[in-house]
Amino acid sequence: MNVIIESSLQTLKKSKILLDSLTDNLLSDSSVSPYHSSIGSHIRHILDFYDCIFNINSNNEIDLTARRRHRAVELECSCAIQYLDSIIDKLTNFEFDMTDSILVTDDLGLGKVEMVYSYGALFSQANSHTIHHYAIINYILEGLNISIKDSDFGYNPTTPKQTSLN
């Protein structure tokens, strides 16, 4: 299996650890300032990004703005786990060459734009995007006084580790 896919799978499996430790009420709680977003909205957003990749059309094009936005994923841990499992299954069975080119549509803030990517670049972006949202989720967890059993959750692998001073 490709190292980019393995990295993405490793990162996404952290969502399972998180979801297994939450209730539906905690998943959908949007009380934490300043943005009042929920853990569920971030999980749904992460999974929608991957889902777009797997919805490549017959012209070898992917539209990252065409997200499904399943509201139930934001509200119910069981729906979020089911969606996560489907993305993990698709990633596990992914059979494209990481150097293959694809046309990606996204909105970078000034309207939709088309760009040529490789699958490797797109999956790398998806993995970094996931870690970025985990950092936001970590902030929400802190605001809700919840801790999970993963000290690396929300940290990029390149983030320097704090060492104790003796």
Side-chain angles (χ1 to χ4, degrees):
M1 185 178 292
N2 178 285
V3 70
I4 297 170
I5 298 297
E6 287 180 28
S7 296
S8 293
L9 288 167
Q10 178 179 314
T11 300
L12 284 172
K13 287 178 181 174
K14 293 176 179 285
S15 292
K16 179 79 165 132
I17 294 166
L18 173 66
L19 291 166
D20 284 342
S21 65
L22 296 177
T23 64
D24 291 346
N25 286 339
L26 291 172
L27 179 72
S28 61
D29 188 320
S30 59
S31 64
V32 178
S33 294
Y35 303 111
H36 299 283
S37 59
S38 69
I39 293 167
S41 67
H42 289 278
I43 293 294
R44 190 236 355 113
H45 178 74
I46 289 165
L47 298 176
D48 280 352
F49 190 99
Y50 278 97
D51 187 56
C52 286
I53 295 171
F54 296 117
N55 285 320
I56 188 166
N57 69 21
S58 60
N59 294 324
N60 213 29
E61 299 169 341
I62 294 171
D63 186 349
L64 295 177
T65 68
R67 298 196 181 116
R68 293 183 192 216
R69 294 180 171 86
H70 296 296
R71 180 86 168 119
V73 172
E74 299 180 28
L75 305 173
E76 300 172 28
C77 291
S78 61
C79 280
I81 289 169
Q82 184 178 15
Y83 196 17
L84 172 64
D85 287 345
S86 74
I87 297 298
I88 288 173
D89 183 58
K90 290 174 184 175
L91 259 176
T92 302
N93 295 304
F94 186 75
E95 294 187 20
F96 290 93
D97 186 322
M98 287 293 148
T99 62
D100 285 352
S101 294
I102 48 174
L103 188 64
V104 175
T105 300
D106 202 355
D107 187 336
L108 306 177
L110 298 175
K112 289 185 180 184
V113 61
E114 293 179 342
M115 302 159 278
V116 177
Y117 276 56
S118 68
Y119 276 109
L122 185 56
F123 279 112
S124 178
Q125 178 185 348
N127 191 52
S128 293
H129 175 256
T130 299
I131 293 168
H132 162 76
H133 280 275
Y134 283 173
I136 298 167
I137 290 170
N138 234 354
Y139 180 83
I140 297 168
L141 289 169
E142 181 75 23
L144 296 174
N145 294 314
I146 300 169
S147 61
I148 61 170
K149 297 175 184 173
D150 186 342
S151 61
D152 291 331
F153 187 84
Y155 290 91
N156 189 292
T158 61
T159 301
K161 304 277 188 218
Q162 283 189 330
T163 58
S164 60
L165 301 173
N166 293 336

